[in-house]
Amino acid sequence: MLLRFTVANFASFRDETELTVISDRRHEDLAVQPVPRSQQWALPVAGIFGPNAAGKSNFIHALAFMRGAVLNSHQRWRPRQEIPRRPFLLDPEKANDPSEFTIEFVAEGVRYEFGFQCNSKEFLSEWLYSYPEGRPRKIYDRRAGSPIDFGPTLHGQKVQVERMVRPNSLFLSAAVANNHEQLLPVFDWFSDDLRIAWETNFDARLRETRHYLETHDSKSILALLKYADLGVSDVSFSDVKLPPEQAAKIAELIQQIDSEAVDVSPDEISAGVDVELSHVIEGHDFKLPLELESSGTRTWLSIVGPIISTLMHGCVLVIDELDARLHHHLAAQFIRLFQDPRTNPHGAQLLFNTHDAALLGPDAVATLRRDQVWLTEKVDGATALYPLTDYKVRSIENVEKRYLGGRYGGLPFFDEELLEIVISEVEAAGS
């Protein structure tokens, strides 16, 4: 369960910026979840709206950077490798200032706060607190140049792990890599419960859809495919086999590179995957390869697996550009799956960004509440992120209309004088 995320000096976020999905209202008709040891509730959905280049995707990139640092900094980053952060570059002073990331979440029923500061060479600080009784309890606090301050509840080989931590790696990453079981719930939340979907991991998402389609959850996958009204009645995956001698050579090479891959069989080696979708037209079944399907169909096929997995296990699914290839009504139905307690009984959450103002309209299938709507705009080149709750919005107010009218900001500005330059150039070319 995600509660809040804060970032400063990363990409277009110059100043400290926070998004929270904690609500003081229960919203009886939404799939909210109680925040442990509090009178607050975690919302199932939050959407970030705003114009192009306002920083909507950068917020997700910041979240992905933090996740990547936890999962990879100790084992995959080279000892002298620079930390791949992206400081705010439009202010010369910020380029050398540290970037900071803080996240609050619930893992295995316990609320945690984890965060770190880093520059391009080292992690300057790192901290982890839990809230088992509603008050913060220190697990550890790390400051560059000083011994790590361990809380009384952290046991295991913490001092031994401290000696292994490099300046460019996180203690959390090093501890779990060295089998520190007490910190596994925190690491596993980043690894398994925080899931990010964007264009670059299309193939991985498609594999997950295939996995669920070929297991006992196939009915759910097919139901969502048909529910989207894409004309798809079935889908099949098949591996493209290599000639036996080529597969044997590749299996041998894998075993030489990875000593643990001793059980790799040539039968497991494939040259790719063929995907076919069935369409029933006037009683006849027609099969089309995935590459001939529309971009919307391909996008939906790749996301139904993660949707089912997220809803089943109560994870957090983060979507970059929800409306990029999905029709407005299908995107709204996507949100509805997470909003509705019947389809989301385990407290799964959806965080997305979009340009689709119709999702704010009175006729939207899944109405977003005020505390679920966040807006972005650029101020002096830096992204400002703020909630709709900063404005007084009446329950009968048409939020979509007011938003498109500029009532809440977060809209692009079109300079008509610049358009006149285009008009004059076009006219001159025709004369």
Side-chain angles (χ1 to χ4, degrees), residues 114-131:
F114 173 73
F116 58 80
Q117 280 188 331
C118 67
N119 56 29
S120 298
K121 294 183 178 180
E122 63 178 337
F123 288 98
L124 303 172
S125 62
E126 177 189 355
W127 61 92
L128 178 63
Y129 286 78
S130 65
Y131 293 75

Side-chain angles (χ1 to χ4, degrees), residues 88-131:
F88 183 78
L89 297 178
L90 300 183
D91 182 342
E93 295 182 1
K94 287 293 183 179
N96 296 318
D97 286 350
S99 301
E100 183 170 340
F101 307 81
T102 306
I103 194 165
E104 288 187 36
F105 59 94
V106 175
E108 297 186 3
V110 178
R111 181 175 181 174
Y112 292 94
E113 177 190 316
F114 173 73
F116 58 80
Q117 280 188 331
C118 67
N119 56 29
S120 298
K121 294 183 178 180
E122 63 178 337
F123 288 98
L124 303 172
S125 62
E126 177 189 355
W127 61 92
L128 178 63
Y129 286 78
S130 65
Y131 293 75

Side-chain angles (χ1 to χ4, degrees), residues 223-421:
L224 278 184
L225 283 174
K226 296 175 182 178
Y227 183 73
D229 195 27
L230 300 169
V232 176
S233 60
D234 202 355
V235 60
S236 62
F237 292 81
S238 59
D239 294 313
V240 179
K241 293 297 183 181
L242 289 170
E245 61 276 8
Q246 291 186 20
K249 289 181 180 179
I250 294 176
E252 181 181 355
L253 179 61
I254 292 174
Q255 292 171 2
Q256 292 175 355
I257 296 174
D258 186 356
S259 59
E260 297 182 359
V262 293
D263 296 327
V264 174
S265 168
D267 294 335
E268 299 173 356
I269 307 299
S270 72
V273 178
D274 279 337
V275 185
E276 289 187 323
L277 291 93
S278 299
H279 299 260
V280 177
I281 309 295
E282 296 183 352
H284 298 282
D285 187 16
F286 297 90
K287 295 183 183 295
L288 290 178
L290 183 62
E291 56 267 24
L292 295 184
E293 295 285 353
S294 70
S295 60
T297 298
R298 294 197 298 270
T299 297
W300 188 248
L301 179 64
S302 72
I303 203 65
V304 290
I307 289 174
I308 293 297
S309 176
T310 301
L311 291 174
M312 288 177 60
H313 299 102
C315 304
V316 182
L317 181 59
V318 183
I319 303 286
D320 186 31
E321 298 186 2
L322 178 66
D323 60 325
R325 292 175 177 82
L326 298 180
H327 187 277
H328 157 67
H329 290 300
L330 184 52
Q333 293 292 349
F334 190 161
I335 296 171
R336 178 186 174 190
L337 291 171
F338 286 80
Q339 293 276 68
D340 193 331
R342 296 172 301 171
T343 50
N344 186 11
H346 305 299
Q349 292 173 297
L350 173 66
L351 173 62
F352 66 91
N353 63 40
T354 182
H355 302 101
D356 191 356
L359 294 172
L360 302 173
D363 299 324
V365 174
T367 304
L368 292 170
R369 308 305 189 268
R370 289 174 55 213
D371 51 5
Q372 294 181 291
V373 177
W374 292 76
L375 305 169
T376 57
E377 62 182 7
K378 283 285 186 68
V379 180
D380 296 329
T383 295
L385 175 70
Y386 50 95
L388 185 58
T389 52
D390 282 356
Y391 296 86
K392 293 183 178 180
V393 181
R394 296 174 297 170
S395 59
I396 61 172
E397 189 169 303
N398 187 327
V399 175
E400 177 192 10
K401 183 178 179 180
R402 289 293 186 96
Y403 170 66
L404 292 176
R407 173 68 173 79
Y408 314 123
L411 287 178
F413 169 72
F414 301 108
D415 190 337
E416 293 297 325
E417 293 184 2
L418 296 176
L419 190 58
E420 291 296 329
I421 297 175

